[in-house]
Amino acid sequence: MTTTRENEIEQENMKREFYHMIINGEKVKGSTGETIKSYNPATGELVAEIAKATKDDAEKAVEAARAAFDTGKWKKFPVGRRSNVLNKIAAIMRSRFNELVELEVLDTGKSLHAAQGQVTQAIEDFEFYAGAIVGHRGAVNNVPGQFHNYTEKEPVGVCAQIIPWNYPLMMAAWKVAPAIAVGCSVVLKPASLTPITAIILGEICLEAGVPPGVVNVVTGSGSEIGNYLVEHHNVDKVAFTGSTPVGKDIMASASQSLKRITLELGGKSPSIVFEDADITSAVDGSLFGIFYNSGQSCEARSRLYVHESIYDEFMDLFVEKAKKLKLGDPFNKGTHVGAIIDQNQLESIDNYVQSAQKEGANVLVGGNIAKPEGHENGFWYEPTIIANVNHDMEIVKEEVFGPVVVVMKFKDEKEAIQLANDTDFGLGSAIWSKDGARATRVANQIQAGIVMINCPFSAFPGTPFGGYKQSGFGRELCIETLDLYSETKSILSYYGSRPLNPFGL
Ligand code: NAD
């Protein structure tokens, strides 16, 4: 007789699958047969095995993308036809919504609510670019009479797209949708920790009518496969989302062949709460700003500056509500904060918090590795609020990438702006104030690519997303992204009745 636990394990085993890479329209195993194992960070259980790419596999993927771009028909399709295919990709994703959400939760340990929002956004990204590409075109420019000049937008070519583990499907959509809308071919490399939904997206692209070789998905190590793609002479553009140190290496490698690059990197985003803010909204928005996705967001508002006159009132409510945040089964609709991606990340977060305490910081809430009931083998960290910090501390300067926020007081607008800008990063920022003139004045002085005024959300399809300073460059999720996957060709003609003889010979 089997026990309930054995039945559970059997059911779990049935869920396990093997995921192939996608190269030239085929599902392929890695050339050595080696695999990557994907574990559920919420439980520590195996989710699936995934083909592991070697450099040979990456080479085949680049060759396929090159051939599809140079000799294939995708970039020659009328724009309306490419647009239709993008809409079809979105429609298939929508029809597989629950499956994509479930896999995203299993692969990342994020809460159901977070995964649902992110899968929805990934779908809407394809819909957005299906529309945007129709209006993406060159221009006719003013030139002296009898001359004529127009520009054409041409796809840049083969794009290596390298993405992180924190929003696996959404990051894949941010990359693939604009690139193929323009007519490029791509080799997408998801993070080894979370490759599943990127692979499924590759399959969906084929099913929707994207020709073989246009979207290739290779799964393997960043330092080996990612770097191989970045250095490859047949790759024309690298679009990277990930940490700032890896972004710097990529920029250095890509410079050897002057590849086009887009870098979406780390952040340490400030949130400023002025004395005239709606305190409840500011508290709720600030909780979401740091604890959404367990703080594993590049634009997590991890530095909170509160005006000294409302500091106590704000903090009482902020701490009270933070204590109510629920960790636990990510599939439970009541769970607010999901798991941490793996043991390394968990230890890194804990080390930051421990070091801060040694330097004199006060942990007001959290500060510990958590063990939610039934999820003791997973990776969890308590939502953590830290006060009594200063700008010399690592916890204030560096990206923790976990559910940890530092809080400080400020006395006036000038000081708030100075503190907010005192960072190497410049991705997100938030301002909480009922005074529209002040909010706009401060927004204009913040050195960041994204400013949220009385708003907990950083982006929707159509709003530019990207950083200043060491948060990278290039904007994704918006119309101008299409230009980052295009070359502009200028065509200048002469239509005068007399031949031109500039040398007068
Ligand atoms: P990471 O830099 O370690 O890895 C990102 C990707 O790069 C992975 O696919 C990895 O395999 C690959 N990679 C690693 N080393 C490489 C190399 N030498 N050459 C080529 N590729 C390489 O980042 P991560 O830990 O996966 O993700 C977290 C980071 O991503 C955080 O810093 C976060 O802020 C950032 N992020 C930024 C944005 C944004 O839009 N700005 C969005 C999400 C995440």
Side-chain angles (χ1 to χ4, degrees), residues 189-229:
K189 197 208 83 63
S192 303
L193 290 169
T194 56
I196 296 178
T197 48
I199 291 174
I200 294 184
L201 177 63
E203 293 169 9
I204 290 175
C205 288
L206 285 168
E207 186 187 339
V210 177
V214 173
V215 175
N216 306 276
V217 185
V218 291
T219 40
S221 124
S223 52
E224 192 187 342
I225 303 305
N227 192 46
Y228 185 76
L229 295 174

Coordinates of all heavy atoms in Angstrom, one line a residue, residues 189-229:
K189 N 19.2 33.4 -24.8 CA 19.8 32.6 -23.7 C 19.2 32.9 -22.4 O 19.5 33.9 -21.8 CB 21.3 32.7 -23.6 CG 21.9 31.5 -22.9 CD 23.2 31.8 -22.2 CE 23.0 32.5 -20.8 NZ 22.4 31.7 -19.8
P190 N 18.3 32.1 -21.9 CA 17.7 32.3 -20.6 C 18.7 32.0 -19.5 O 19.7 31.3 -19.7 CB 16.5 31.4 -20.5 CG 16.7 30.3 -21.5 CD 17.7 30.9 -22.5
A191 N 18.4 32.4 -18.2 CA 19.3 32.1 -17.1 C 19.1 30.6 -16.9 O 18.1 30.0 -17.0 CB 18.8 32.8 -15.9
S192 N 20.2 29.9 -16.4 CA 20.2 28.5 -16.2 C 19.2 28.1 -15.1 O 18.7 27.0 -15.1 CB 21.6 28.0 -15.8 OG 22.5 28.4 -16.8
L193 N 19.0 29.0 -14.2 CA 18.1 28.7 -13.1 C 16.6 28.6 -13.5 O 15.8 28.0 -12.9 CB 18.2 29.7 -12.0 CG 19.5 29.7 -11.2 CD1 19.6 30.9 -10.3 CD2 19.6 28.4 -10.3
T194 N 16.3 29.3 -14.6 CA 14.8 29.5 -15.0 C 14.6 29.4 -16.5 O 14.1 30.4 -17.1 CB 14.3 30.8 -14.5 OG1 15.2 31.8 -15.0 CG2 14.3 30.9 -13.0
P195 N 15.0 28.3 -17.2 CA 14.9 28.3 -18.6 C 13.6 27.9 -19.2 O 13.4 28.0 -20.4 CB 16.0 27.3 -19.0 CG 16.1 26.4 -17.9 CD 15.6 27.1 -16.6
I196 N 12.6 27.4 -18.4 CA 11.5 26.6 -19.0 C 10.6 27.5 -19.9 O 10.3 27.1 -21.0 CB 10.7 25.9 -17.9 CG1 11.7 24.9 -17.2 CG2 9.5 25.2 -18.4 CD1 11.0 24.2 -16.0
T197 N 10.1 28.6 -19.3 CA 9.1 29.3 -20.1 C 9.7 30.0 -21.3 O 9.0 30.2 -22.3 CB 8.4 30.4 -19.2 OG1 9.4 31.1 -18.5 CG2 7.4 29.7 -18.3
A198 N 11.0 30.3 -21.3 CA 11.6 30.8 -22.5 C 11.6 29.8 -23.6 O 11.4 30.1 -24.8 CB 13.1 31.3 -22.2
I199 N 11.8 28.5 -23.2 CA 11.8 27.4 -24.2 C 10.4 27.3 -24.8 O 10.2 27.2 -26.0 CB 12.2 26.1 -23.6 CG1 13.7 26.2 -23.2 CG2 11.9 24.9 -24.5 CD1 14.2 25.0 -22.4
I200 N 9.4 27.4 -23.9 CA 8.0 27.3 -24.4 C 7.7 28.4 -25.3 O 7.0 28.3 -26.3 CB 7.0 27.2 -23.2 CG1 7.3 25.9 -22.5 CG2 5.6 27.2 -23.7 CD1 6.4 25.6 -21.4
L201 N 8.2 29.6 -25.0 CA 8.0 30.8 -25.9 C 8.6 30.5 -27.3 O 7.9 30.8 -28.3 CB 8.6 32.0 -25.3 CG 8.5 33.3 -26.2 CD1 7.0 33.7 -26.4 CD2 9.2 34.5 -25.6
G202 N 9.7 29.9 -27.3 CA 10.3 29.5 -28.6 C 9.4 28.6 -29.4 O 9.3 28.7 -30.6
E203 N 8.9 27.6 -28.7 CA 8.0 26.6 -29.3 C 6.7 27.4 -29.9 O 6.2 27.1 -31.0 CB 7.5 25.5 -28.4 CG 8.7 24.6 -27.9 CD 8.3 23.7 -26.7 OE1 7.1 23.7 -26.3 OE2 9.2 23.1 -26.2
I204 N 6.2 28.3 -29.1 CA 5.0 29.0 -29.5 C 5.3 29.9 -30.7 O 4.4 30.0 -31.6 CB 4.5 29.9 -28.3 CG1 3.9 28.9 -27.2 CG2 3.4 30.9 -28.7 CD1 3.5 29.6 -25.9
C205 N 6.5 30.5 -30.7 CA 6.8 31.3 -31.9 C 6.7 30.4 -33.2 O 6.2 30.9 -34.2 CB 8.2 31.9 -31.8 SG 8.3 33.2 -30.5
L206 N 7.3 29.2 -33.1 CA 7.2 28.3 -34.3 C 5.8 28.0 -34.7 O 5.4 28.1 -35.8 CB 8.0 27.0 -34.0 CG 9.5 27.1 -34.0 CD1 10.1 25.8 -33.4 CD2 10.0 27.4 -35.4
E207 N 5.0 27.6 -33.6 CA 3.6 27.3 -33.9 C 2.8 28.4 -34.5 O 2.0 28.2 -35.4 CB 3.0 26.9 -32.5 CG 1.6 26.3 -32.7 CD 0.9 26.1 -31.3 OE1 1.7 26.0 -30.3 OE2 -0.3 26.1 -31.3
A208 N 3.2 29.6 -34.1 CA 2.5 30.8 -34.6 C 2.9 31.2 -36.1 O 2.3 32.0 -36.7 CB 2.7 32.0 -33.7
G209 N 4.0 30.6 -36.6 CA 4.4 30.9 -37.9 C 5.7 31.6 -38.1 O 6.0 32.1 -39.2
V210 N 6.4 31.8 -37.0 CA 7.8 32.4 -37.2 C 8.6 31.3 -37.8 O 8.7 30.1 -37.4 CB 8.4 32.7 -35.8 CG1 9.8 33.3 -36.0 CG2 7.5 33.8 -35.1
P211 N 9.3 31.6 -39.0 CA 10.0 30.5 -39.7 C 11.2 30.0 -38.8 O 11.7 30.7 -38.0 CB 10.6 31.3 -40.9 CG 9.8 32.5 -41.0 CD 9.3 32.9 -39.7
P212 N 11.6 28.7 -39.1 CA 12.7 28.1 -38.3 C 13.9 29.0 -38.4 O 14.2 29.6 -39.5 CB 12.9 26.8 -39.1 CG 11.6 26.5 -39.7 CD 11.0 27.8 -40.1
G213 N 14.7 29.0 -37.3 CA 16.0 29.8 -37.3 C 15.8 31.2 -36.9 O 16.8 31.8 -36.5
V214 N 14.6 31.7 -36.9 CA 14.4 33.1 -36.5 C 14.5 33.3 -35.0 O 15.1 34.2 -34.5 CB 13.1 33.7 -37.1 CG1 12.8 35.1 -36.6 CG2 13.1 33.7 -38.6
V215 N 13.9 32.3 -34.3 CA 13.9 32.3 -32.8 C 14.6 31.0 -32.4 O 14.0 30.0 -32.5 CB 12.5 32.5 -32.2 CG1 12.7 32.4 -30.6 CG2 11.9 33.8 -32.6
N216 N 15.8 31.1 -31.8 CA 16.5 30.0 -31.3 C 16.6 30.2 -29.8 O 16.9 31.3 -29.4 CB 17.9 29.9 -31.9 CG 17.8 29.8 -33.4 OD1 17.6 28.8 -34.0 ND2 17.9 31.0 -34.1
V217 N 16.5 29.1 -29.0 CA 16.7 29.2 -27.6 C 17.7 28.2 -27.1 O 17.6 27.0 -27.3 CB 15.3 28.9 -26.8 CG1 15.5 29.2 -25.3 CG2 14.2 29.8 -27.4
V218 N 18.8 28.8 -26.6 CA 19.9 27.9 -26.1 C 20.0 28.1 -24.6 O 20.0 29.2 -24.1 CB 21.3 28.2 -26.8 CG1 21.3 27.7 -28.2 CG2 21.7 29.6 -26.6
T219 N 20.1 26.9 -23.9 CA 20.1 26.9 -22.5 C 21.5 26.4 -22.0 O 21.9 25.3 -22.3 CB 19.0 26.0 -22.0 OG1 19.0 24.8 -22.8 CG2 17.7 26.6 -22.1
G220 N 22.2 27.3 -21.3 CA 23.5 26.9 -20.8 C 24.1 28.0 -19.9 O 23.5 29.0 -19.7
S221 N 25.4 27.7 -19.6 CA 26.0 28.6 -18.6 C 26.3 30.0 -19.2 O 26.6 30.1 -20.4 CB 27.3 28.0 -18.2 OG 28.4 28.8 -18.4
G222 N 26.1 31.0 -18.4 CA 26.4 32.4 -18.8 C 27.8 32.6 -19.2 O 28.1 33.2 -20.3
S223 N 28.7 32.2 -18.4 CA 30.1 32.5 -18.7 C 30.6 31.8 -19.9 O 31.5 32.2 -20.6 CB 31.0 32.2 -17.4 OG 30.7 30.8 -17.0
E224 N 30.0 30.6 -20.2 CA 30.5 29.8 -21.4 C 29.6 30.2 -22.6 O 30.1 30.8 -23.6 CB 30.4 28.3 -21.1 CG 31.1 27.5 -22.1 CD 30.8 26.0 -21.9 OE1 30.4 25.6 -20.8 OE2 31.0 25.3 -22.8
I225 N 28.3 29.9 -22.5 CA 27.5 30.1 -23.7 C 27.2 31.6 -24.0 O 27.2 32.1 -25.1 CB 26.2 29.3 -23.6 CG1 26.5 27.8 -23.3 CG2 25.3 29.5 -24.8 CD1 27.4 27.2 -24.4
G226 N 26.8 32.2 -22.9 CA 26.5 33.7 -23.0 C 27.7 34.4 -23.6 O 27.6 35.2 -24.6
N227 N 28.9 34.2 -23.0 CA 30.1 34.9 -23.5 C 30.4 34.5 -24.9 O 30.8 35.4 -25.7 CB 31.2 34.5 -22.5 CG 32.4 35.4 -22.8 OD1 32.2 36.6 -22.9 ND2 33.6 34.8 -22.9
Y228 N 30.2 33.2 -25.3 CA 30.4 32.8 -26.7 C 29.6 33.6 -27.6 O 30.0 34.0 -28.7 CB 30.1 31.3 -26.8 CG 30.5 30.7 -28.1 CD1 31.8 30.4 -28.4 CD2 29.5 30.4 -29.0 CE1 32.1 29.8 -29.7 CE2 29.8 29.8 -30.2 CZ 31.1 29.5 -30.6 OH 31.4 29.0 -31.8
L229 N 28.3 33.8 -27.3 CA 27.4 34.5 -28.1 C 27.9 36.0 -28.3 O 27.8 36.6 -29.3 CB 26.0 34.5 -27.6 CG 25.3 33.1 -27.6 CD1 23.9 33.2 -26.8 CD2 25.1 32.6 -29.0

